[in-house]
Amino acid sequence: MKNTTVILSENIPLTENVYKAVLTGHNAGVIVPGRFVNIKIDGFFLRRPLSVCDSDENSVTVIYKVVGEGTKAFSELKVGKKLDVLSDLGNGYDTKMSGEKPLLVGGGVGTPPMYMLAKRLIAEKKKPTVILGFNTKKEIFFEEEFLKTGAKVVIATADGSAGVRGFVTDAIKDLDYSYVYACGPEPMLKAVYHASKTSGQFSFEERMGCGFGACMGCSCKTITGYKRICKDGPVLYKEEILW
């Protein structure tokens, strides 16, 4: 965990309610795909945990959806704003287990961590396929960015307005893959859990208090006992999930 002051150097809308923000500051970067940052926003007691989409040594890119007063306030912040951020939180994804043809599955704003993961896997000479799931065509974001990584990209929309009609599990059916990585709302994760034919790693979204394991507010039960999503997760292995 790193506590650092960053500058909001970009904060732009990608779709109607989804924004891309870039946080720049010394030693702000995140090395492991799947980790997150916890941002303090003026006027709110709890920080807002956001998954990392991309990162280099001194910057972090996050993509977030406006779902409440906190994220609404964040979306209204101007470029140049200084922010107090806890960075490099969580365990992240382990790429050593991916095999040659990993499958990456992201649903809605669960798709951003898949971007950094795809880049890492391709750097390791793997051949990932990425499934991005949305409700409708107008909600799609970052498709071009994923294509530029060199990954194979499959879009699924619930209303059939783009790509495969249906959910991400409908796009999985005929694919050949060696391992699964997933991030998204819990109903989607549960569906992927049951539909996937290999082992995998699943990143959970959870309400958090501290973000680093002190308050126990985001604990969940696994086959080995209770784990804290913020510290022992957010990534859990398929074999330890109780579903």
Side-chain angles (χ1 to χ4, degrees), residues 47-66:
R47 294 172 181 261
R48 263 49 186 183
L50 298 175
S51 298
V52 173
C53 174
D54 199 11
S55 183
D56 58 32
E57 184 178 353
N58 293 312
S59 73
V60 169
T61 299
V62 296
I63 294 176
Y64 63 97
K65 185 175 183 179
V66 175

Side-chain angles (χ1 to χ4, degrees), residues 21 32 57 66 73 111 118 156 173 213 227-229:
V32 179
E57 184 178 353
V66 175
T111 65
K173 292 177 181 177
K227 287 195 171 184
R228 298 159 293 182
I229 291 299

Side-chain angles (χ1 to χ4, degrees), residues 119-157:
K119 289 175 62 178
R120 177 63 56 83
L121 290 165
I122 287 170
E124 295 174 359
K125 310 301 182 184
K126 310 296 176 56
K127 298 178 180 179
T129 295
V130 182
I131 299 177
L132 305 178
F134 302 94
N135 288 318
T136 185
K137 181 179 180 179
K138 68 179 182 180
E139 295 182 3
I140 296 172
F141 62 86
F142 249 58
E143 179 182 6
E144 290 300 318
E145 287 81 354
F146 273 100
L147 287 169
K148 288 176 182 177
T149 68
K152 178 181 178 182
V153 178
V154 179
I155 298 291
T157 54

Side-chain angles (χ1 to χ4, degrees), residues 7-12 14 20-24 74 77 79-80:
I7 301 296
L8 183 63
S9 56
E10 186 175 322
N11 197 19
I12 60 172
L14 297 179
K20 172 189 172 185
V22 179
L23 313 175
T24 305
F74 187 48
L77 295 179
V79 167

Side-chain angles (χ1 to χ4, degrees), residues 94-99 126 178-181 199 201 237 239:
D94 183 352
T95 61
K96 295 191 298 293
M97 308 179 74
S98 70
K126 310 296 176 56
S178 56
Y179 198 76
V180 172
Y181 297 94
S199 182
Q201 297 170 36
Y237 289 91
E239 292 76 14

